[in-house]
């Protein structure tokens, strides 16, 4: 019994570390990406550089024996390609949203995703239906978002078009990639490697579709300093490093949390993002808008409490053979769900 408790304690702290790492990266990356896209106005190229850094980083660290990732195979690439496409679209719309709107608008639309993910998770992945308290907390998030949008003085059709596109793609990405990490069987670094490599391969297609490659070639041919000035270089470099970090912590956390819990974790940690945004930029929401924004985040905290209560009080009812089989899938056993619910509010 004591050894079981010790293992559970180790697992709890291991998952806690992953969630804390993801929370820090997620809360800082929105501000870093906004800083990068402000000084380097090429969203397609910026995301491609992030994918390139992550792919090369994993490959080089693997070559030096500092980590292990699954080798590239065409069969796994075919299976993971749809997830990589959805991921690319989510990052692409995210970057363009930050290009046309302030960080507050991004956070509000990001805060609406738990409600949609909860519905999609129940509908498509046959997960248990959230409790009434859980749905109440998710609608509080939605209510705060609606209040923010109603008072947003920076409303533009372009910004909100990208916001809606981001909302659809990030919801799909949260549910579908959770399905992939549960069933494909790659290691965490394997998922990071495949995801960024396949996304990098897709980058030229979007450069052509959006016509951004023309702007890049014009900037290079004119000899202007818009591509390689020190501030832009520092911003892009920092964005690439955090892109690699959030890739690892994101996939590791996905294995340990439900899709909705993972999504809300990304919302709750935006307290730090809001604080940084208010301190360093003058283009943010009005006081009432900020209050609505904090209201959405508070709904995320309530969600965590409702899930913790539901999961930890439900007694496991599985036979031993099924439990052994499920323990091979991260985040699927009753014990892991209880641990995940405890730490997902960090």
């Amino acid at each position: 019994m004591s050894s079981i408790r010790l293992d559970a304690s180790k697992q709890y702290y291991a998952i806690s570390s992953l969630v804390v790492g993801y929370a820090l990266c997620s809360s800082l990356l929105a501000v870093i990406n906004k800083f990068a896209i402000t000084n380097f106005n090429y969203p397609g190229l910026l995301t491609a550089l992030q994918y390139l850094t992550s792919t090369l980083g994993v490959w080089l660290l693997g070559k030096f024996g500092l980590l292990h990732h699954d080798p590239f195979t065409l069969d796994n690439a075919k299976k993971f390609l749809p997830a990589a496409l959805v991921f690319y679209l989510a990052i692409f719309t995210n970057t363009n949203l930050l290009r046309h709107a302030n960080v507050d608008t991004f956070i509000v639309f990001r805060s609406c995703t738990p409600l949609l993910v909860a519905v999609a998770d129940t509908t498509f992945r046959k997960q248990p239906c959230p409790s009434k308290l859980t749905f109440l907390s998710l609608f509080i998030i939605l209510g705060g978002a609606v209040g923010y949008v109603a008072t947003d003085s920076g409303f533009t059709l372009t910004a909100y078009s990208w916001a809606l596109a981001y909302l659809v793609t990030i919801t799909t990405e949260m549910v579908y990639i959770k399905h992939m990490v549960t069933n494909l069987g790659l290691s965490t670094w394997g998922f990071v490697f495949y995801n960024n490599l396949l996304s990098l391969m897709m980058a030229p297609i979007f450069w052509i579709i959006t016509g951004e490659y023309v702007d890049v070639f014009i900037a290079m041919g004119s000899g202007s300093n818009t591509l390689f000035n020190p501030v832009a270089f520092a911003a892009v470099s920092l964005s690439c490093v955090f892109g690699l970090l959030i890739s690892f912590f994101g996939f590791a956390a996905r294995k340990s949390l439900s899709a909705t819990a993972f999504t809300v974790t990304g919302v709750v940690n935006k307290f730090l993002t809001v604080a940084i945004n208010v301190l360093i930029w003058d283009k943010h929401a009005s006081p009432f808008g900020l209050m609505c924004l904090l209201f959405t985040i508070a709904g995320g905290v309530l969600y965590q409490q409702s899930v913790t209560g539901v999961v930890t009080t439900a007694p496991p009812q599985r036979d031993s053979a099924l439990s052994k089989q499920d323990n091979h899938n991260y985040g699927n056993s009753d014990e892991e769900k209880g641990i995940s619910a405890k730490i997902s509010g960090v």
Side-chain angles (χ1 to χ4, degrees), residues 13-341:
Y13 286 113
I15 298 175
S16 298
S17 300
L18 293 175
V19 173
V20 170
Y22 171 74
L24 288 174
C25 291
S26 180
S27 60
L28 293 173
L29 191 57
V31 176
I32 293 171
N33 278 341
K34 178 64 177 179
F35 177 59
I37 202 65
T38 301
N39 293 278
F40 188 79
N41 197 21
Y42 307 99
L45 182 56
L46 175 63
T47 54
L49 290 172
Q50 291 174 339
Y51 300 138
L52 177 62
T53 301
S54 297
T55 303
L56 285 178
V58 173
W59 183 78
L60 288 173
L61 291 172
K63 283 294 183 182
F64 286 107
L66 298 176
L67 58 83
H68 170 75
H69 66 82
D70 300 88
F72 183 86
T73 65
L74 190 59
D75 184 53
N76 280 336
K78 288 179 180 178
K79 292 178 181 177
F80 195 75
L81 182 59
L85 176 59
V86 174
F87 173 81
Y88 185 96
L89 290 173
I91 299 300
F92 182 76
T93 54
N94 173 15
T95 307
N96 278 279
L97 171 58
L98 287 171
R99 183 186 187 188
H100 295 284
N102 57 35
V103 176
D104 297 330
T105 303
F106 159 72
I107 294 175
V108 165
F109 277 87
R110 180 70 169 80
S111 299
C112 291
T113 55
L115 176 60
L116 298 178
V117 170
V119 174
D121 220 16
T122 302
T123 304
F124 298 108
R125 296 188 63 243
K126 309 303 179 184
Q127 297 298 301
C129 185
S131 66
K132 292 180 180 178
L133 181 59
T134 300
F135 261 116
L136 174 62
S137 64
L138 293 174
F139 275 108
I140 288 174
I141 294 173
L142 180 61
V146 171
Y148 174 86
V149 172
T151 60
D152 185 10
S153 59
F155 178 91
T156 64
L157 184 60
T158 301
Y160 273 74
S161 296
W162 281 113
L164 289 174
Y166 171 71
L167 188 61
V168 172
T169 55
I170 193 64
T171 300
T172 306
E173 189 256 357
M174 290 291 177
V175 177
Y176 189 70
I177 290 189
K178 174 61 182 179
H179 169 74
M180 293 300 296
V181 300
T182 304
N183 295 285
L184 192 54
L186 298 176
S187 66
T188 298
W189 283 115
F191 278 115
V192 174
F193 182 69
Y194 272 89
N195 196 44
N196 285 281
L197 178 60
L198 292 174
S199 297
L200 180 62
M201 293 177 178
M202 286 184 274
I205 299 174
F206 285 86
W207 285 348
I208 295 172
I209 292 175
T210 60
E212 184 181 310
Y213 72 98
V214 176
D215 297 331
V216 174
F217 287 145
I218 290 175
M220 294 175 65
S222 65
S224 64
N225 207 27
T226 57
L227 283 176
F228 306 108
N229 71 76
V231 176
F233 179 81
V236 171
S237 299
L238 191 61
S239 175
C240 289
V241 170
F242 270 81
L244 174 58
L245 291 175
I246 201 171
S247 291
F248 169 74
F249 284 113
F251 276 108
R254 286 175 202 268
K255 285 188 172 184
S256 304
L257 304 177
S258 71
T260 309
F262 175 80
T263 306
V264 176
T265 301
V267 172
V268 173
N269 62 52
K270 292 300 185 289
F271 276 115
L272 179 59
T273 307
V274 173
I276 296 173
N277 182 53
V278 170
L279 289 174
I280 67 175
W281 273 303
D282 56 356
K283 294 182 179 180
H284 49 73
S286 64
F288 182 78
L290 286 175
M291 194 167 70
C292 291
L293 177 55
L294 295 175
F295 194 62
T296 65
I297 301 176
V301 175
L302 178 61
Y303 167 85
Q304 300 300 335
Q305 298 303 314
S306 68
V307 171
T308 302
V310 171
V311 176
T312 55
T313 56
Q317 296 179 353
R318 298 189 177 197
D319 58 71
S320 58
L322 185 59
S323 295
K324 289 180 180 178
Q325 179 182 354
D326 280 358
N327 280 337
H328 289 294
N329 293 325
Y330 291 95
N332 287 347
S333 67
D334 289 324
E335 182 181 74
E336 281 190 345
K337 285 183 179 178
I339 294 172
S340 299

